[in-house]
């Protein structure tokens, strides 16, 4: 309890902080860096270095109440088919903009629900991307899978198009928790999905879980964890539920009173982490777990772990091209987000324009802060010697000093490293925020615990 009181004093339960899947966070993007910036970044790409590609599918058959993803509900495939045509048009715009010879090292399909696509659309979309940005030799392809909206034919189509990793949405198996978030999904359905993926040759599986959901208790979470362990995924992502009903209207269906209290949330997260590390998974960053032989665990051990919009990654491609409504591209020069509303995105592409509508041009000072934040989020320490190679490194010295002072006991100086201790790790995002030059801007972030 004493430790929890210390964490509370340091802001664990009160702070609202970015998840730092990018720096600057998307809340700092402005319309000044839109389609023109996007075109100049794309044209400047070096064809010798493969890019990563993200495709956003903003449709779901069900709209889970806890979810704040950019997506819309549909019971027919008509809007999905139309959207697919627009994605193909966007790909043609990219073909006309990219330098010749750019290849794709990784592709990720997220949403929404990519597995809303029937097999013929899966093949058509994957082929359309490959026609414009051909796969590099070690190409990998990951897809977010909804076990309630997938079948053997869809999995076969994804495997045929080169899927190497599947990410399965689970959240929690307790039936009253599922009911309270509008998302029914049985263990049998999930088991069948995992078996079908493995039968199709997909050897790398990730499971997404959420703690802090309505009516979740330690007992129910223990039950969910036992079932997840039986599924034997290679990676597990354990996200804290961010209750922001003012931002996400669906979350208004979840009464505040049904949510675990702040201390319960803390214990749920610790309980899950202990269960997974106790059964052979390695803790990766603030919220992931991976088997020791998994590439994410290897990246973490060798200092190559990175953050991107999907969370932690071992992706080494320096450029991410986001395709589809609301997708964010990451370039050496900065970030560009496509029009967020699907209708606005479709309108832009119909007018034969790339749909970047806001973004951010990185400065040298931003890169320095981004490096420090990435080190903290991935390695729990800042290597000051590496940072010192940056010409503006001295700008951060007052922040290092303040962090060491304000988080005494949770942050220690070890040689040339400023290190977050294991006890201080729940504070990682709060500590990272000290390096955030945009920390003062008004934004609706999730709680730190
Ligand atoms: S959790 Fe998945 S299926 Fe549910 S609304 Fe969000 S994206 Fe759609």
């Amino acid at each position: 309890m004493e430790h929890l009181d210390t964490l509370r004093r340091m802001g664990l339960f009160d702070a609202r902080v970015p998840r730092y899947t990018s720096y600057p966070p998307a809340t700092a993007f402005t319309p000044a860096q839109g389609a023109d910036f996007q075109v100049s970044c794309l044209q400047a790409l070096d064809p010798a270095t493969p890019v990563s590609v993200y495709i956003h599918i903003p449709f779901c058959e069900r709209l889970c109440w806890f979810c704040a993803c950019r997506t819309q509900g549909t019971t027919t495939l008509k809007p999905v088919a139309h959207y697919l045509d627009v994605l193909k048009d966007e790909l043609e715009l990219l073909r006309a903009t990219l330098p010749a010879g750019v290849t794709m090292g990784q592709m990720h399909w997220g949403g929404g629900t990519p597995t809303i696509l029937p097999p013929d659309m899966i093949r058509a979309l994957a082929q359309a991307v490959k026609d414009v940005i051909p796969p590099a030799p070690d190409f990998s392809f990951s897809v977010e899978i909804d076990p309630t909206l997938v079948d053997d034919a869809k999995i076969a189509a994804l495997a045929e198009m080169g899927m190497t990793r599947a990410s399965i949405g689970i959240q929690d198996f307790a039936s009253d928790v599922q009911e309270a978030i509008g998302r029914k999904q049985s263990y049998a359905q999930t088991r069948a999905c995992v078996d079908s993926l493995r039968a199709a040759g997909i050897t790398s599986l990730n499971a997404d879980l959420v703690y802090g959901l309505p009516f979740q208790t330690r007992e129910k979470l223990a039950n969910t964890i036992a079932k997840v362990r039986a599924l034997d995924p290679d990676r597990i992502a354990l996200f804290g539920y961010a209750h922001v009903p003012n931002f996400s209207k669906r979350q208004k269906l979840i009464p505040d009173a049904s949510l675990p209290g702040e201390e319960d949330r803390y214990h749920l997260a610790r309980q899950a982490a202990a269960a997974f590390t106790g059964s052979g998974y390695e803790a990766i960053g603030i919220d992931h777990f991976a088997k020791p032989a998994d590439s994410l665990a290897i990246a973490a051990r060798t200092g190559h772990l990175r953050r991107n919009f999907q969370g932690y990654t071992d992706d080494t491609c320096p450029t991410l091209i986001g395709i589809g409504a609301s997708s964010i591209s990451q370039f050496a020069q900065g970030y560009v987000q496509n029009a967020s509303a699907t209708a606005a995105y479709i309108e832009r592409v119909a007018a034969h324009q790339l749909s970047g509508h806001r973004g951010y041009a990185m400065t040298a000072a931003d890169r320095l802060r981004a490096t420090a934040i990435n080190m903290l989020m991935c390695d729990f320490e800042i290597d000051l010697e590496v940072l010192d190679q940056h010409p503006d490194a001295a700008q951060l010295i007052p922040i290092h000093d303040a962090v060491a002072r304000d988080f005494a006991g949770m942050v220690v100086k070890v040689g040339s490293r400023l290190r977050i201790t294991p006890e201080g790790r729940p504070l990682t995002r709060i500590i990272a925020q000290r390096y955030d030059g945009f920390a003062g801007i008004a934004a609706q972030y999730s709680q730190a615990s």
Side-chain angles (χ1 to χ4, degrees), residues 56-73 110-114 144-146 148-149 169 171 181-183 185 250:
H56 191 67
I57 309 292
F59 299 98
C60 296
E61 257 191 25
R62 57 178 177 181
L63 289 175
C64 314
W65 305 340
F66 78 101
C67 175
C69 289
R70 285 247 170 222
T71 188
Q72 64 191 71
T113 307
E144 292 171 16
I145 307 269
D146 181 344
T148 69
L149 194 56
Q171 326 319 343
I181 59 172
R183 184 190 164 92
Q185 178 178 324
R250 296 196 293 270

Side-chain angles (χ1 to χ4, degrees), residues 302-376:
T302 55
H304 294 101
L305 192 64
R306 291 174 56 206
R307 289 287 273 173
N308 71 7
F309 296 104
Q310 279 85 56
Y312 287 101
T313 179
D314 55 348
D315 183 2
T316 53
C317 301
T319 300
L320 173 68
I321 298 179
I323 298 172
S326 80
S327 293
I328 300 176
S329 296
Q330 178 174 9
F331 302 101
Q333 299 90 330
Y335 300 95
V336 185
Q337 181 169 29
N338 283 353
S340 300
T342 304
Y345 160 76
I346 290 173
E347 205 175 296
R348 281 299 287 259
V349 177
H352 307 291
Q353 288 176 325
L354 287 171
S355 84
H357 79 135
R358 59 187 204 123
Y360 188 84
M362 296 283 279
T363 65
D366 295 325
R367 286 197 184 87
L368 173 68
R369 288 173 184 268
T371 303
I373 289 173
N374 195 64
M375 284 177 176
L376 287 171

Side-chain angles (χ1 to χ4, degrees), residues 370-383 386-387:
T371 303
I373 289 173
N374 195 64
M375 284 177 176
L376 287 171
M377 296 297 294
C378 293
D379 310 327
F380 298 114
E381 64 180 21
I382 294 177
D383 186 333
V386 172
L387 220 53

Side-chain angles (χ1 to χ4, degrees), residues 170-187:
I170 293 177
Q171 326 319 343
D172 192 309
F173 280 123
S175 57
D176 60 338
V177 175
Q178 290 189 351
E179 221 161 277
I181 59 172
R183 184 190 164 92
K184 296 298 282 179
Q185 178 178 324
S186 70
Y187 177 73

Side-chain angles (χ1 to χ4, degrees), residues 82 97 125 137 167 178 189 193 217 289 353 355 373 402:
H82 178 53
T97 310
L125 176 57
S167 187
Q178 290 189 351
Q189 269 175 320
C193 170
T217 61
F289 303 87
Q353 288 176 325
S355 84
I373 289 173

